[in-house]
Amino acid sequence: MSQTDTITAKPSMPRMIDPFGRAVTYLRVSVTDRCDFRCVYCMSEHMTFLPKKDVLSLEELESVCNAFIEKGVRKLRLTGGEPLVRKDIMVLINRLGAKVKSGELDELTLTTNGSQLTKFADDLYAAGVRRINVSVDTLNPEKFSEITRWGRLPQVLEGIEAAKTAGLKVKINAVALKNENEAEIPSMIEWAHGNGHDLTLIETMPMGDIDEDRTDQYLPLSKVRSDLEKQWTLTDLPERTGGPARYVRIEETGGKLGFITPLTHNFCESCNRVRLTCTGQLYMCLGQDDNADLRAAFREGGQAALSEAIDEAIGRKPKGHDFIIDRNHKGPAVGRHMSLTGG
Ligand code: SAM
Ligand code: SF4
């Protein structure tokens, strides 16, 4: 272990408190809007991606992350688009990982579709990443290709194995989709728990235009839960992450199951997070369009202007979101795609 590994800085006090008294300690960063998949609930098949000049450079992303760390952020999650398709992404991950090693951050983590993990798993571990979320909506290879359009299940499963071998704890995320994976949920839980992975189910959120009707996809997790209760014993866990997830233990499998229910449950009162897009827009709430242009602040006024823009943005973090999916609200509740803010 090097000297820097052993030096632990004092945890910083939360310095970003929003108007509702919530400390913002968690930043999710979308490092690219691009992806090697085209999941049906996330993107349309023919997406137009952003011009390079609009996207923050790796150096700019690092500066913005550092500004948040100085203001009390303790946890960073990189997401996208697909974070591991961003060119030279390990440069940023290594730099941010150094903040974990020095104690300035508690955790650096990633949400990924898993397609590039065989290539990156060892490097991620060496950088200081210890846990990752991998999205897998089905274990049926044909269905997987249908849902992701361009994805191949065996490649993702190999990636998960590589991550496990590298020492990374893997949590599986699955979007619950009516008529797609609904019947398969119990076997996915058995597979995940049998392989030592927790699993979290996510309700579809109405974000961005896609090629399908969202009311056809929407499957309330309250229904999934009551179906599972016919088969298994679900014990509520007190665990809270400051986000929309609620956890249970399934006594029969011994594993943990999470439910992310932004539509059927209100989680906003304990929200501790903000989201940065790859173009430097800071969204104070996943379900609202209000955002702050940190790229303009930083490119025009440097660190000082960036710091001021962050403080101003946190000062207008809203109380909550207003997602609705029903037959009368077919369009997206927020115009941007999930791939821009990264979920
Ligand atoms: N590409 C990576 C992946 O798929 O894990 C990271 C980005 S992806 C936008 C992050 C998570 O958001 C994934 O678990 C994905 O399934 C989920 N997601 C995407 N669009 C969604 C939507 N409209 N509603 C709910 N979850 C969504
Ligand atoms: Fe890509 Fe993730 Fe969106 Fe699927 S959910 S299209 S993998 S960004």
Side-chain angles (χ1 to χ4, degrees):
M1 195 181 269
S2 75
Q3 260 226 306
T4 44
D5 283 331
T6 56
I7 298 168
T8 340
K10 259 188 137 159
S12 48
M13 293 300 288
R15 267 158 286 160
M16 289 185 291
I17 308 290
D18 80 0
F20 303 94
R22 298 169 297 191
V24 176
T25 55
Y26 181 11
L27 175 68
R28 296 169 78 110
V29 183
S30 174
V31 296
T32 178
D33 63 329
R34 288 163 200 253
C35 189
D36 51 346
F37 291 3
R38 292 288 181 281
C39 302
V40 291
Y41 48 76
C42 180
M43 294 191 182
S44 69
E45 186 152 19
H46 306 285
M47 292 285 287
T48 311
F49 291 110
L50 294 159
K52 269 217 173 74
K53 66 171 180 31
D54 291 353
V55 174
L56 295 182
S57 66
L58 292 175
E59 292 74 23
E60 286 173 323
L61 280 166
E62 187 188 350
S63 297
V64 176
C65 290
N66 283 343
F68 276 96
I69 293 168
E70 277 162 27
K71 288 176 183 291
V73 156
R74 302 293 310 171
K75 177 171 170 181
L76 269 182
R77 177 177 297 277
L78 305 185
T79 173
E82 174 46 43
L84 295 178
V85 302
R86 169 97 197 230
K87 190 162 177 282
D88 297 329
I89 189 63
M90 280 314 302
V91 173
L92 178 67
I93 295 178
N94 282 322
R95 296 258 169 87
L96 296 173
K99 300 273 174 188
V100 178
K101 293 176 184 171
S102 68
E104 289 161 88
L105 263 183
D106 293 333
E107 188 173 37
L108 172 65
T109 181
L110 228 79
T111 301
T112 171
N113 65 22
S115 69
Q116 309 298 313
L117 277 176
T118 46
K119 186 169 158 203
F120 285 106
D122 288 332
D123 292 345
L124 290 173
Y125 189 89
V129 175
R130 291 293 175 267
R131 298 195 302 164
I132 56 171
N133 289 357
V134 183
S135 305
V136 182
D137 299 328
T138 173
L139 292 171
N140 174 320
E142 287 80 43
K143 207 168 259 186
F144 187 88
S145 296
E146 256 173 52
I147 295 175
T148 60
R149 292 197 185 101
W150 297 1
R152 284 183 36 272
L153 181 65
Q155 186 183 351
V156 171
L157 296 181
E158 278 165 34
I160 292 173
E161 268 313 300
K164 210 170 147 181
T165 307
L168 296 168
K169 175 100 182 120
V170 175
K171 192 181 81 172
I172 306 294
N173 280 346
V175 175
L177 298 162
K178 193 163 61 173
N179 308 327
E180 285 284 355
N181 61 4
E182 184 173 5
E184 209 197 323
I185 289 173
S187 56
M188 287 196 65
I189 293 172
E190 281 171 336
W191 166 78
H193 291 178
N195 285 286
H197 312 303
D198 292 335
L199 185 136
T200 294
L201 297 168
I202 310 174
E203 269 176 0
T204 52
M205 294 175 232
M207 299 184 68
D209 271 322
I210 54 171
D211 302 329
E212 328 216 339
D213 181 349
R214 289 187 191 276
T215 46
D216 292 341
Q217 302 179 336
Y218 179 56
L219 170 61
L221 291 185
S222 49
K223 173 168 187 309
V224 174
R225 184 179 170 139
S226 67
D227 287 348
L228 292 174
E229 278 170 335
K230 289 177 195 147
Q231 172 176 359
W232 284 322
T233 315
L234 274 51
T235 308
D236 284 310
L237 297 174
E239 198 170 315
R240 295 283 184 270
T241 58
R246 294 292 176 265
Y247 296 94
V248 298
R249 176 164 307 286
I250 299 188
E251 299 305 336
E252 290 80 356
T253 63
K256 223 163 59 170
L257 176 68
F259 295 96
I260 300 192
T261 56
L263 301 163
T264 53
H265 227 277
N266 213 322
F267 55 87
C268 305
E269 70 282 355
S270 58
C271 181
N272 63 353
R273 60 201 58 195
V274 288
R275 294 170 164 86
L276 184 75
T277 68
C278 57
T279 58
Q281 314 304 304
L282 185 73
Y283 283 88
M284 287 68 83
C285 173
L286 182 62
Q288 302 274 3
D289 278 326
D290 184 33
N291 65 82
D293 189 352
L294 300 189
R295 182 186 65 195
F298 186 57
R299 286 187 182 171
E300 286 158 26
Q303 290 292 350
L306 172 65
S307 172
E308 216 171 283
I310 294 173
D311 292 342
E312 195 272 332
I314 300 300
R316 53 175 219 264
K317 184 167 159 61
K319 195 165 179 199
H321 67 69
D322 22 65
F323 284 129
I324 312 172
I325 299 184
D326 64 29
R327 295 270 162 213
N328 301 321
H329 297 81
K330 284 205 174 176
V334 291
R336 65 188 188 276
H337 286 93
M338 187 69 108
S339 48
L340 204 61
T341 28

